[in-house]
Every structure is written in C-alpha cells, then in structure tokens.
Amino acid sequence: MKRFIACIAIATLLAAAGCKQGDTPAPAAKPGAAYDSGGSLKGDFGPPQGKPIEAVLTSPPHVPPPTGRDYPAKVVVELDVVEKEMEISEGTTYTFWTFGGTVPGSFIRVRQGDTVVFHLRNMPDSKMPHNIDLHGVTGPGGGASSSFTAPGHVTRFTFKALNAGLFVYHCATAPVGMHIANGMYGLILVEPPEGMPPVDREYYVMQGDFYTTGKYREKGHQGFDMQKGIDENPTYVVFNGAEGSLTGDNALTANTGENVRLYVGNGGPNLVSSFHVIGEIFDKVWFEGGTRYNENVQTTLIPSGGAAIMDFHVEVPGSYVLVDHSIFRAFNKGALAILKADGAERPDIYSGKEVDAMYIGDQANANLAAVGAAVKAEKAGELTVDDQIEAGKALFAGTCSTCHQASGEGMPGVFPPLANSDYIAADPAHVPQVILHGLQGPIKVNGKDYDSIMPPMSQLTDDEVANIATYVLNSWGNPGGQVTKEQAAEIRKVKPANASEGH
Ligand SMILES: [Cu+2]
C-alpha cells in the first residue's frame, strides 16, 4: 500500500505514465532526472569565453565591483594564507590565521557559470598547513581535499560556479574548529547571470566568535582556548575580526537618499547571528544568501557557515548600529559596528536625537586608543597616573556614565554623584570596591539619601578597574590618588557586606 501511494506521488510529480500497483520501475526510466531542479542544472553556460580574468579581491569592508559580464569566463583567483598577530581589541593581540591577511578573508566575486581557477598559497613563515572549502563549489569537500597546502607551497584546483548566491569559504584543516576560530573564513559572491540590482554602496561584514585564554578585553597577547571553543563560550563576538573594526573612524559610511547593500557572513565557528541594524529596516533580505528575497525585515538569522544579503534605503542621517541582537554579544563581547549616514535632517520622518555615548558607549568612539597607550606604557614599566586617567576616562564613557553621567553629577534621587563625593573622600578604596562588588542599601552622599542598587562590574579586567578608579579619584574635585591593577586584583577577592548581588 505504501508503495502504491509513493508510486502515485511520484507519478503526479513527474506526470510519468505506467505506474501500477506492484510495478517495479524500469531501471532505464530514471524519473528524477526529468525534473528541472533549477540551480546547478541551469548554471552551466558552457565553456569559458574570452581571455582569463584576474579576480579583483578586496579586503573587508570593501566589495569588488560587479563583474559586468554577460558571458562565462575563466576567472583566476590567487589567495594567500597569512598567519599574523593583530589586535582583537584595543591593547589585546591575537595570532590570527587569515585568507589574504585580513579577517574575514578577501571578498571574491564571480558570475554564475564562470570557471574559477583557484590558487591557494600558504606563506613560507606559516606554522600550519591550511586548505579551503568554498560553499559555492559543486564537488566533494568544496575544494578542501585538493587545496591542502603546507607552509611555503601553492596548490591549484578548478571549479565551475554552478549556483548563484553568497557563499562562505573557510579552512577545513583539522582541527577545523580551531582554524575557523582563528579567523579562516570569508565570502564569495556568485552573481546571478543578470547581476545584482545596482545600489549606491556595497559593504562586506562578517561575524565571528573568538576564544581567548584571558577575559574579554584582558590586555596583552592572548592565546586560543580550545576548551572555551568546545564549550561554545566565546570571549569575543565581533564583526570583521576585531572589536572596533567598524566603529569610530572605521565606521561604514553612507549618505541619506542612498541605497546600501550589506553582504553579511557568519564564520562562526559556533554561534548563529541574529543580525540587526538599530534604527533601520531591511527593505530586502536575500535570506541565507540564496535567490529569493524577503521584504521589510527587522532581524535576520545568519547561521554559522552562512550568509545573507540585505538592502536598505537611508532616509534619516545619524549613526546606525549593526549588532548581533543576542545582545550581550553586542555590548559585552564586541559584536557592534556603526554605519554613519550623512545628510539633511528629516524631522518629518524622525524627530529623535542622535544615538549617543549612553547607548553605544565606549565602543562607538575611537578614544579607546588611550586604553591601548596605557597598556603599552605599562609594558614598558612607564605607566603614569595621567595614562591611567586618560584610559579610565575612555572606559568610564558607556560603562559608568550611563548612570552617573559623563559629568559625574549623577541624577538627583536616583544615581549619587561621583563629583565631589564625600562618600569617596571618606575612603578612596570605596571606588574600586564599589566597581567590583556593586553596592546596595541606604547610603548618604553629599547630604542626600540613596537607597538603590549598583550592579557589580566584575566583568571588567583588573587594569580596567584600576584605570576607571584612578580617573574617578582624579576628577571633579575628588581627593586624587592612584589604584593599581594589583590592588584591584586584591579587592576583587574580598566581598564587602554591602555588596550587591547583581540584580
Ligand atoms: Cu587553516
């Protein structure tokens, strides 16, 4: 009976004749092959024409120009694997393994039907062998087995890009998770034959999760933590390989009245991204990087090893914040980028004020440079109180100013002042103590009563606590002084009676 139903189903689908109960389909019939599956079946436009073309590769956030071709060509891609130390956060370095010297790797753009001749070169000073698996390749391994490349070697393989779409590529050398976690991924766009609809600006953004031995923003060089990787417990979740890679002076830019397109990938290795732009609505999303688009989308899911294309028209000037809306990742692990739109105000559409430091905090500012300078000074054994104050000021923005205000004045009846605080004057050690353990219950500051809760900020590293405390002690008429990172480490260990539990 089951077989009979299956037979009917297939018969309906294929409009094939002669399917009776008990029939064994003749081996020659191959009914499935008559079905037009589209995709790869329609993606072969014959042999490559014209002279071979050298692919234009771009570093993020740039995207190569459209191919502008209406015929299939032979496209030569030359990609270098480079292992190099770069900053993952201000003052924190990490040894990345890269395709093309950047994380994510170079953006590759071809046309459906193109024959791609892929050269993978592993630089002689690499310590590891690497390879590449492109999700846009039809064939087992996606190129991985043909591209295993030892340091100082080059491999070559060829594929025909049969399916249009936006595809992730990544290293697939064991341990695969580690190679991807070290930054070995990027995007290849296989344009449909007619090309993508033209827009004013195209950008390349790719999310990745990173696993360092130290805490988030722990300074100095950080190693890879395999156990954190296995536990899927990243220290950093960032766009384009580093915290701040797309903020401050590095922000993406646009003008009002323009159409902006984002090619967004997710290298993982573990997390799925809930990609969102605060203050915009995606007019179109080619979800999962495929052929169909959805319209009027707020947040789009990008799987690990997946991608999406999104278009939006910019009406209102100001800063738009790109985030993974799994929001702790944005504010506590680095998954935050800015698109800055210039143009005339549009009060008819939006009367609100510019998104400010209160919301996006220190991450929107380029001023974290002061934090890096303090780290260098400390390494050299030359850290001064002034270095600490500068670094502390940058960190105070966003972390503390949300409640106590940038002026340190606080808010009457709600947040006590840090400016001229007699609570601080009574015992300057209160400052690092309150930062690390929080504070709850009734207190009196400058003659006014407060009975509220400050959550502990124990996620801050010892030197962040030291720098913020030193800044507070030396600002707004407070008594001055210095807190060292060793002192912060000691204070972290001892919980006072009025500590808050973090609510
Ligand atoms: Cu690799």
Side-chain angles (χ1 to χ4, degrees):
M1 186 63 191
K2 261 197 195 132
R3 178 193 193 111
F4 178 64
I5 290 168
C7 186
I8 296 238
I10 291 167
T12 318
L13 240 143
L14 306 174
C19 193
K20 281 183 267 139
Q21 184 174 14
D23 260 10
T24 309
K30 289 211 176 140
Y35 161 62
D36 174 9
S37 68
S40 57
L41 193 60
K42 290 284 177 70
D44 190 344
F45 308 133
Q49 299 169 26
K51 281 206 189 101
I53 293 166
E54 194 73 38
V56 177
L57 304 186
T58 57
S59 297
H62 305 292
V63 176
T67 65
R69 268 186 285 111
D70 58 1
Y71 60 90
K74 178 177 278 186
V75 180
V76 181
V77 174
E78 297 195 21
L79 191 58
D80 289 345
V81 173
V82 187
E83 299 175 1
K84 64 196 270 205
E85 197 173 292
M86 295 188 283
E87 279 201 333
I88 190 164
S89 180
E90 191 72 53
T92 307
T93 54
Y94 187 78
T95 304
F96 292 90
W97 300 346
T98 75
F99 286 110
T102 55
V103 179
S106 309
F107 197 108
I108 306 166
R109 187 168 191 157
V110 302
R111 181 179 180 271
Q112 188 182 17
D114 281 350
T115 297
V116 181
V117 183
F118 207 104
H119 299 254
L120 189 70
R121 175 163 70 140
N122 191 359
M123 300 310 275
D125 57 352
S126 291
K127 300 209 164 46
M128 297 284 155
H130 300 284
N131 66 9
I132 193 165
D133 164 357
L134 298 113
H135 291 180
V137 167
T138 301
S145 50
S146 349
S147 60
F148 184 83
T149 314
H153 289 253
V154 185
T155 53
R156 193 185 77 163
F157 67 101
T158 301
F159 67 94
K160 192 170 264 189
L162 296 178
N163 294 77
L166 181 63
F167 299 98
V168 167
Y169 65 77
H170 62 89
C171 182
T173 304
V176 179
M178 180 180 182
H179 283 251
I180 295 175
N182 284 343
M184 298 199 79
Y185 44 76
L187 291 179
I188 176 169
L189 174 67
V190 182
E191 292 177 352
E194 71 282 9
M196 293 295 292
V199 287
D200 299 296
R201 284 166 201 262
E202 295 185 317
Y203 286 117
Y204 172 21
V205 177
M206 201 159 179
Q207 184 172 322
D209 26 294
F210 291 88
Y211 304 82
T212 61
T213 44
K215 297 174 79 136
Y216 173 62
R217 289 188 174 176
E218 190 87 53
K219 304 306 172 200
H221 188 76
Q222 297 296 322
F224 168 68
D225 189 324
M226 186 70 167
Q227 192 58 49
K228 276 192 191 169
I230 294 167
D231 294 343
E232 305 190 13
N233 176 28
T235 331
Y236 292 87
V237 182
V238 297
F239 297 120
N240 290 5
E243 186 172 33
S245 64
L246 296 171
T247 64
D249 292 343
N250 303 323
L252 305 176
T253 56
N255 295 314
T256 56
E258 289 182 335
N259 286 310
V260 175
R261 174 171 300 144
L262 302 178
Y263 294 98
V264 185
N266 184 6
N270 288 317
L271 302 186
V272 170
S273 176
S274 300
F275 188 76
H276 177 77
V277 177
I278 300 173
E280 260 301 345
I281 295 139
F282 303 131
D283 297 322
K284 288 197 176 103
V285 176
W286 284 264
F287 43 95
E288 298 176 0
T291 302
R292 306 254 176 246
Y293 59 76
N294 196 355
E295 292 173 287
N296 308 315
V297 172
Q298 59 196 304
T299 300
T300 193
L301 270 179
I302 310 180
S304 173
I309 306 169
M310 51 219 84
D311 285 3
F312 52 91
H313 185 258
V314 182
E315 279 83 14
V316 179
S319 290
Y320 293 86
V321 190
L322 286 58
V323 295
D324 180 338
H325 214 295
S326 291
I327 211 77
F328 271 108
R329 298 174 190 170
F331 294 104
N332 300 80
K333 297 191 170 194
L336 188 148
I338 303 284
L339 177 115
K340 199 144 184 30
D342 282 328
E345 292 295 340
R346 287 291 302 273
D348 55 322
I349 295 176
Y350 185 63
S351 71
K353 61 174 181 177
E354 168 68 295
V355 50
D356 55 14
M358 283 212 172
Y359 192 19
I360 47 187
D362 57 11
Q363 317 205 33
N365 305 324
N367 65 7
L368 281 181
V371 177
V375 173
K376 285 203 188 87
E378 211 221 330
K379 262 195 190 152
E382 297 165 349
L383 185 68
T384 64
V385 173
D386 283 343
D387 292 332
Q388 282 194 274
I389 292 172
E390 281 306 306
K393 184 177 182 182
L395 294 162
F396 186 89
T399 311
C400 318
S401 64
T402 327
C403 297
H404 294 289
Q405 308 298 298
S407 62
E409 297 291 342
M411 273 167 102
V414 190
F415 305 119
L418 303 182
N420 249 317
S421 158
D422 57 3
Y423 186 89
I424 293 174
D427 183 1
H430 276 148
V431 182
Q433 209 170 66
V434 170
I435 297 174
L436 281 163
H437 298 289
L439 187 64
Q440 66 184 352
I443 55 163
K444 211 185 237 321
V445 184
N446 298 351
K448 298 225 167 66
D449 290 314
Y450 296 87
D451 186 1
S452 185
I453 292 166
M454 172 171 151
M457 310 262 158
S458 54
Q459 82 280 4
L460 297 169
T461 61
D462 292 336
D463 62 350
E464 286 173 325
V465 172
N467 293 344
I468 294 173
T470 302
Y471 167 65
V472 170
L473 288 174
N474 289 280
S475 303
W476 317 302
N478 286 332
Q482 183 184 18
V483 176
T484 66
K485 83 178 201 197
E486 291 74 20
Q487 287 166 339
E490 282 307 310
I491 291 168
R492 190 186 291 274
K493 290 183 203 148
V494 190
K495 200 174 193 170
N498 57 355
S500 77
E501 292 304 328
H503 293 258

